[in-house]
Amino acid sequence: ASSATIEILGQRFPTDDYTNITPAIISRTHLQLHTTPAHPLSTLRTLIESAYPDFTHASTISPLVSPFKNFDELSFPADHPGRAVTDSYYVNRDMMLRTHTSAHEVEMFRAGETKWLLTADVYRRDEIDASHYPIFHQVEGARIFDTNAAGMKEVEEDNARLTSLLATANIVIEDIPHISPTNPVQPGHDPVFSELVAKNLKLSLNNLLLKVFGDVAGISAQEPLRVRWIEAYFPFTSPSFEVEVFFQGKWLEILGSGVIRQATLDTAGVQNKIGWAFGLGLERIAMVLFSIPDIRLFWSTDPRFLSQFKQGQINVFQPYSKYPSCFKDVSFWVPREFNLHENDFCDLVRDTAGDLVEDVKRIDQFVHPKTNRTSLCYRINYRSMDRSLSNEEINHVQSQVVARLKEQFGVEIR
Ligand code: PHE
C-alpha cells in the first residue's frame, strides 16, 4: 500500500515509480550518530578533525540530495550502476538519500571553501551481515590551491612539513607513482602541479592514519603501521587512489581519494585552482579501534552500549554476553518475468525485523525446467544485540516477512 506522499525530516515529498525508501530508513535519517556525544563515531570524527585543525568542519548537512547532485555534478555516466533503484534509496525520481559525502563537493567549493572536512550519514542498499548496514558514515576532505607560483609554493612547503613529520614516525608505506599511464594526469593539468597535489594528498593522509591507528593496541611501539596505496578509479578524480591499512592480520580498505576532476571545480564556479579530495568510511575503522563486533551496535539504544564510551576517548568495547541466534528459512517461487533483486528482499526483511536481523544468506536457487519459474531459498539469521528473543517472537516476525513477501512481490511460498 503506497500513499501519494511521504514525510522525511519534516518535509513532504510526492512518491512515484522510483520511491523505494522504507519506514525503517526514514526513522533513522535524523539520528546524527556522528555528532552524538560519547558515540564512537563522534569520537572518531573529532579525532580526524583534530588532524586538520585549520580546515572548515561541517557535520550537519541533510542527506536529501538530487540525483543530479549525487551523480551528474561528479561526472558519473548516465548508465552508472550506482544510480539503479536496486542500489540507492530514492524518495522519488528527483530526490534521493546521498550515497556518498562527495555529493556535497560542488556546494562546498561554490561556497568558497578551500580546505574542508564534511562528516555525514550516507545510504546504500546492500546485503545484510555483521559489517554491512544500509546507513553508514563518511568523512569527505578536500583542499584546493591556486594554480600559480604562490599556490605551488604553498603545496611544496606543506609537503616539506608533512614529510618531516613522517620522517621520525614508525610507519611503512607501500607507495605507487603519483601519476602513471593507467592513472593519468587530467588533460589541462600541469603534470608537475598535479604530482605535487597527489603527493600532498598522500602525505596528509599518511599522517592522518598515523594519528588514527598509530597508538592503538595491535600496532605497538615496536610494530610499524603499514599503509599501502593502490591505483583506483572514480569518475570525479584523476589520478585516483585507494588506501589500505594492515590491522590485526588483515588489509582494511580505508578510503578513496584523488586529484579533483576539473569539471567539478568548473561546475562550482571555481577558477584557477587544483586540489585533492578523499572520502573515508567511519564504521569499519571504528569497529577495529573500539573492537565493536557488529555494525548494528552503533545504532543500539541500550545504555550498556553508549555508557561504555566517553567523548574523545578510544577504549575497547566489552560485549554484553552474545545472545543466542535463531535462523529461519523461507523458500518461494518467483513469478515469471519478475526479477526479485536481493536488495529488495533484504530491505523487506530489515523493514519488518529491524535490527533483530543479523545476517541474510541465499542458500538455494534453481530454475524449474518446465515452468521456467525461479525458486529461491533464503536463510534469515535473527539475533538481538541486547536481549534473548523468544521463539514466538521470531516466529511472529518471520510470518510477517512471509506475508509481506507474498503481498509485495507476489511470490508463491513453497
Ligand atoms: N565518494 C567515494 C566513495 O564513496 C570516495 C571518494 C571521495 C573518492 C573523494 C575520491 C574522492 O567511494
Side-chain angles (χ1 to χ4, degrees):
S2 66
S3 55
T5 66
I6 42 174
E7 192 178 316
I8 305 165
L9 294 166
Q11 264 184 289
R12 270 208 170 271
F13 298 90
T15 59
D16 63 21
D17 57 328
Y18 264 49
T19 309
N20 64 1
I21 180 169
T22 62
I25 297 295
I26 294 175
S27 69
R28 310 209 137 159
T29 49
H30 68 282
L31 289 178
Q32 289 268 4
L33 299 183
H34 58 286
T35 59
T36 299
H39 197 284
L41 296 175
S42 175
T43 289
L44 182 53
R45 170 186 58 82
T46 55
L47 178 61
I48 293 167
E49 287 174 349
S50 73
Y52 296 93
D54 55 341
F55 280 42
T56 298
H57 301 156
S59 56
T60 56
I61 300 185
S62 165
L64 293 164
V65 295
S66 65
F68 188 81
K69 209 166 148 160
N70 195 79
F71 297 119
D72 300 79
E73 280 188 350
L74 294 163
S75 314
F76 278 81
D79 60 353
H80 192 274
R83 296 179 187 256
V85 286
T86 49
D87 286 32
S88 298
Y89 287 106
Y90 283 85
V91 175
N92 56 38
R93 281 176 175 265
D94 305 317
M95 192 60 78
M96 67 185 303
L97 295 173
R98 67 182 154 230
T99 63
H100 57 170
T101 41
S102 303
H104 301 286
E105 280 192 11
V106 166
E107 108 189 54
M108 293 297 282
F109 291 128
R110 190 178 280 138
E113 299 291 351
T114 57
K115 309 164 157 192
W116 53 268
L117 296 184
L118 185 156
T119 309
D121 40 329
V122 301
Y123 300 75
R124 290 185 199 173
R125 302 186 72 199
D126 215 331
E127 59 200 277
I128 300 183
D129 66 32
S131 64
H132 287 89
Y133 201 82
I135 316 176
F136 59 102
H137 295 76
Q138 287 187 326
V139 177
E140 191 90 359
R143 177 165 186 186
I144 50 177
F145 304 88
D146 290 329
T147 50
N148 57 21
M152 200 177 270
K153 187 162 169 250
E154 189 186 341
V155 194
E156 281 172 329
E157 281 174 7
D158 200 47
N159 286 352
R161 176 185 71 87
L162 293 165
T163 302
S164 71
L165 279 178
L166 283 170
T168 53
N170 197 11
I171 184 169
V172 174
I173 301 158
E174 291 176 36
D175 202 0
I176 54 171
H178 304 324
I179 288 170
S180 76
T182 47
N183 205 14
V185 60
Q186 291 169 49
H189 272 178
D190 169 3
V192 174
F193 213 144
S194 180
E195 284 221 14
L196 285 173
V197 167
K199 187 172 177 187
N200 189 253
L201 165 73
K202 290 178 177 172
L203 287 168
S204 154
L205 287 169
N206 288 335
N207 273 298
L208 171 69
L209 295 172
L210 207 51
K211 179 150 207 153
V212 171
F213 290 98
D215 41 33
V216 190
I219 296 173
S220 67
Q222 305 87 272
E223 259 188 70
L225 173 64
R226 292 173 64 193
V227 172
R228 72 178 178 199
W229 286 83
I230 297 167
E231 212 172 284
Y233 176 81
F234 302 102
F236 44 98
T237 50
S238 189
S240 304
F241 310 96
E242 272 165 8
V243 181
E244 295 182 347
V245 163
F246 196 73
F247 196 83
Q248 293 167 356
K250 274 191 257 172
W251 286 100
L252 274 183
E253 271 175 46
I254 300 288
L255 61 88
S257 64
V259 176
I260 299 163
R261 230 178 236 296
Q262 215 52 35
T264 308
L265 296 173
D266 291 346
T267 306
V270 170
Q271 279 164 6
N272 305 318
K273 304 259 194 201
I274 183 171
W276 50 252
F278 69 81
L280 165 161
L282 288 183
E283 270 80 353
R284 245 184 267 172
I285 300 176
M287 284 175 84
V288 301
L289 291 185
F290 294 84
S291 306
I292 293 171
D294 191 298
I295 195 164
R296 289 174 292 165
L297 282 162
F298 291 114
W299 300 88
S300 175
T301 52
D302 190 310
R304 286 174 298 176
F305 179 71
L306 206 53
S307 68
Q308 291 195 24
F309 306 104
K310 275 206 189 79
Q311 182 64 35
Q313 193 178 296
I314 294 180
N315 56 274
V316 168
F317 171 67
Q318 305 293 338
Y320 19 104
S321 62
K322 199 162 180 175
Y323 295 93
S325 76
C326 166
F327 68 78
K328 298 280 172 192
D329 293 348
V330 56
S331 316
F332 51 89
W333 292 108
V334 178
R336 250 187 306 257
E337 331 292 346
F338 187 81
N339 211 347
L340 177 68
H341 196 283
E342 187 144 316
N343 287 348
D344 289 326
F345 181 76
C346 286
D347 261 322
L348 182 147
V349 175
R350 277 216 198 269
D351 202 45
T352 312
D355 285 355
L356 297 183
V357 54
E358 175 164 291
D359 189 286
V360 169
K361 270 201 245 3
R362 193 178 65 215
I363 56 175
D364 191 35
Q365 172 174 34
F366 69 89
V367 178
H368 192 285
K370 290 224 174 74
T371 65
N372 215 20
R373 288 199 300 179
T374 302
S375 167
L376 290 173
C377 182
Y378 280 98
R379 175 161 294 175
I380 305 173
N381 197 22
Y382 295 98
R383 186 204 312 265
S384 165
M385 290 280 105
D386 313 322
R387 63 197 171 83
S388 277
L389 298 172
S390 73
N391 207 27
E392 279 132 289
E393 187 179 358
I394 296 299
N395 281 337
H396 180 67
V397 174
Q398 180 72 3
S399 70
Q400 282 179 297
V401 167
V402 169
R404 289 183 67 179
L405 257 181
K406 287 196 268 195
E407 186 187 300
Q408 288 179 21
F409 302 126
V411 309
E412 185 188 323
I413 304 295
R414 301 189 60 198

